[in-house]
């Protein structure tokens, strides 16, 4: 079970816990890198943007969902979107 599973289950987490540090800071680094790449992509390159957004949100981009960069998400594995979302 991951720290994120524990958080979703409502468990209290000590942020000084080494497992927390490893998992959460790893996710923040992953998301910061992807957001940087998204923000540096030409807005007209929608295909590449959707590919990167799906990497950021673990494939949870649905038809009709649209992001307008720049964007900053620090824990993409915790973001869940429905259809027809505009951000």
């Amino acid at each position: 079970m991951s720290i994120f599973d524990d958080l979703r289950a409502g468990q209290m987490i000590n942020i000084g816990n080494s497992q927390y540090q490893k998992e959460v800071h790893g996710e923040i680094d992953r998301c910061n890198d992807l957001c940087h790449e998204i923000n540096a992509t030409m807005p007209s390159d929608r295909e590449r943007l959707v590919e990167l957004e799906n990497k950021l949100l673990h494939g949870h981009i649905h038809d009709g969902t649209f992001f307008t960069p720049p964007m900053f998400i620090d824990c993409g594995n915790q973001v869940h979107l429905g259809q027809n979302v505009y951000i």
Side-chain angles (χ1 to χ4, degrees):
M1 189 172 262
S2 77
I3 290 294
F4 293 106
D5 292 329
D6 292 344
L7 288 169
R8 276 191 289 276
Q11 294 183 22
M12 292 185 63
I13 305 292
N14 176 350
I15 64 171
N17 175 295
S18 63
Q19 187 65 23
Y20 172 92
Q21 296 287 325
K22 179 181 176 185
E23 287 186 43
V24 173
H25 288 277
E27 176 64 3
I28 290 170
D29 290 343
R30 184 188 76 83
C31 292
N32 284 339
D33 289 349
L34 284 166
C35 284
H36 177 78
E37 194 169 351
I38 289 167
N39 294 337
T41 300
M42 293 295 293
S44 59
D45 193 352
R46 285 297 312 144
E47 191 173 304
R48 178 71 177 143
L49 287 170
V50 170
E51 176 188 331
L52 292 168
E53 292 162 355
N54 267 307
K55 282 174 96 172
L56 178 67
L57 300 178
H58 296 285
H60 288 122
I61 300 295
H62 300 285
D63 289 338
T65 297
F66 184 78
F67 288 92
T68 301
M71 60 187 295
F72 303 94
I73 296 174
D74 59 6
C75 284
N77 66 352
Q78 298 300 296
V79 176
H80 303 279
L81 301 172
Q83 292 182 349
N84 302 316
V85 174
Y86 175 78
I87 299 175

